[in-house]
Amino acid sequence: MTELPEETLTQLRPMEARLRAAVSRGAAEEAIEIAGEIQQLFSDRRHHRLLKAKLWAFEAALDANRLAYAETGFIGVRKLANRGTRIHLEATSLLAVCLLRQKKNTEAKRAIREVIQNLDDIASDRSRHKFQKRFIERIEQECILAELIGTDTSPLDAAEMHRHAVRLVQYNSDNEILRLIGNAVPSSSIKLLQDVRHYSIKLLPLPDRKLLPSPGDTEKPLSVGKRTAAVLKRIAWKSLCDPDSEVYKLWSKKVPAVFNGGYFAGALATTMAAWRIGIPIIGTGVAAIAMKSSAEVFCEFAKPEGMMIDRSERDEE
């Protein structure tokens, strides 16, 4: 591993902090620009700190649904990173997500299988299990999202979604709402989830498989509803939780208008239309869950979690 001179590190560290902050805000363009600035510090295009910065930027592009750009980036990092390294494994895992999102299921399954077969590239048991958990949860969410995309057959009625969300808030528990969401998910999502599990996840060592929910539990409406709500929160997080957005400003101050004016349903209807998701109850359910929560709690728990394990999260390896 090439040691960087202190002068380079002095410039690099604040740039990496800016990059991570941009990614956490969902500011994909800013993240890509900062990664470009970081590249100027390196003559070695294979240095792990540069490849890591690029992966953060490409993951931000993936979350912004810039799929062709993200896919090209992940493939590029895989070519530059040595096999058997964490960077190569992380790039492969993100490529798998990107391929699923594009319904390139055969290619995605091969990438998923490669990740699972090479999890031992992460030496620390703690970091490996953390990465494995994130990866499998994300893949399961993406299986659902992939089959939700393209279900749009008619414009969503935000006013009707709001009226229904208010009724859910008044008469239904969170678990009842999640079951409603789960029951609305197309059977094709469940089939893809089963297919990916059968092809790939069974390759995990038995002790690791025991840490996962059983397939029967995973496919129950409540479990499917939780995963579906999580993925919709992920793609709608910026619309609901951007501090500069009108909905967040009103919500964080508990202004009554945000709860009775259809702001949540409107934001979710807009997001779902952009992603061509045409199943109203899914957006309605997430709107109801948001209305039951404070802005701080919802936005903290709904904040998209990156695939990669940051240095600050790692134990000593």
Side-chain angles (χ1 to χ4, degrees):
M1 187 183 298
T2 306
E3 292 290 335
L4 295 174
E6 189 58 38
E7 180 182 353
T8 300
L9 289 171
T10 299
Q11 297 177 72
L12 177 60
R13 291 181 184 120
M15 293 168 79
E16 287 177 330
R18 286 172 51 218
L19 174 60
R20 290 296 313 280
V23 172
S24 71
R25 296 195 309 274
E29 289 299 328
E30 183 181 348
I32 292 166
E33 183 178 331
I34 296 169
E37 293 173 11
I38 289 174
Q39 181 165 302
Q40 301 306 310
L41 299 178
F42 290 85
S43 57
D44 178 6
R45 292 295 186 255
R46 295 176 178 268
H47 196 283
H48 74 282
R49 294 281 281 266
L50 173 58
L51 295 180
K52 176 68 80 172
K54 287 184 173 183
L55 272 188
W56 284 119
F58 292 135
E59 186 173 19
L62 171 62
D63 281 340
N65 218 32
R66 292 183 55 182
L67 302 181
Y69 179 85
E71 181 181 354
T72 300
F74 298 140
I75 291 171
V77 172
R78 272 171 49 88
K79 288 178 179 177
L80 291 169
N82 293 327
R83 285 186 174 275
T85 61
R86 184 194 291 264
I87 291 286
H88 192 279
L89 186 70
E90 291 172 337
T92 306
S93 68
L94 289 163
L95 177 62
V97 171
C98 193
L99 292 168
L100 271 178
R101 186 82 61 83
Q102 297 174 86
K103 301 183 187 287
K104 297 179 180 179
N105 295 342
T106 300
E107 296 172 62
K109 287 194 296 181
R110 284 199 293 265
I112 294 166
R113 194 181 186 98
E114 181 179 338
V115 171
I116 290 174
Q117 288 177 324
N118 291 284
L119 283 169
D120 285 343
D121 291 345
I122 301 177
S124 159
D125 287 342
R126 182 179 172 186
S127 290
R128 184 173 62 255
H129 288 146
K130 184 179 290 188
F131 176 82
Q132 174 185 298
K133 180 175 182 290
R134 283 188 189 179
F135 178 65
I136 291 171
E137 286 179 352
R138 181 70 182 274
I139 289 299
E140 290 179 342
Q141 291 174 12
E142 292 290 336
C143 284
I144 291 171
L145 178 60
E147 294 301 318
L148 287 177
I149 295 171
T151 57
D152 185 15
T153 56
S154 59
L156 295 170
D157 185 336
E160 178 57 30
M161 286 173 62
H162 172 65
R163 287 191 289 271
H164 193 182
V166 170
R167 291 195 294 272
L168 291 178
V169 170
Q170 292 173 334
Y171 301 113
N172 295 87
S173 67
D174 284 357
N175 279 351
E176 288 171 336
I177 293 169
L178 290 168
R179 286 191 188 94
L180 286 171
I181 293 172
N183 282 320
V185 169
S187 60
S188 57
S189 288
I190 309 304
K191 288 178 181 175
L192 180 57
L193 186 55
Q194 291 170 335
D195 187 26
V196 168
R197 272 183 164 268
H198 177 75
Y199 183 82
S200 306
I201 295 175
K202 69 176 184 178
L203 297 173
L204 287 169
L206 185 58
D208 288 356
R209 271 185 279 162
K210 287 181 177 179
L211 299 175
L212 302 175
S214 70
D217 290 338
T218 300
E219 293 154 21
K220 289 179 179 177
L222 178 58
S223 181
V224 174
K226 287 179 178 178
R227 284 163 173 75
T228 307
V231 80
L232 196 61
K233 288 174 185 177
R234 183 181 194 93
I235 64 176
W237 183 84
K238 190 167 176 61
S239 298
L240 291 171
C241 297
D242 186 336
D244 293 327
S245 70
E246 188 175 9
V247 61
Y248 185 83
K249 288 176 180 177
L250 295 172
W251 189 12
S252 61
K253 295 175 182 176
K254 300 181 175 61
V255 176
V258 77
F259 300 102
N260 56 34
Y263 283 85
F264 297 100
L268 285 157
T270 299
T271 297
M272 290 171 68
W275 286 72
R276 297 183 296 114
I277 299 173
I279 304 175
I281 185 57
I282 293 175
T284 297
V286 173
I289 292 169
M291 291 166 71
K292 286 183 165 196
S293 307
S294 69
E296 294 75 14
V297 169
F298 181 93
C299 291
E300 178 61 30
F301 282 97
K303 191 172 187 176
E305 185 176 49
M307 188 83 75
M308 295 178 285
I309 305 297
D310 186 49
R311 288 174 180 272
S312 63
E313 299 178 74
R314 298 181 195 173
D315 55 330
E316 292 297 323
E317 300 183 6

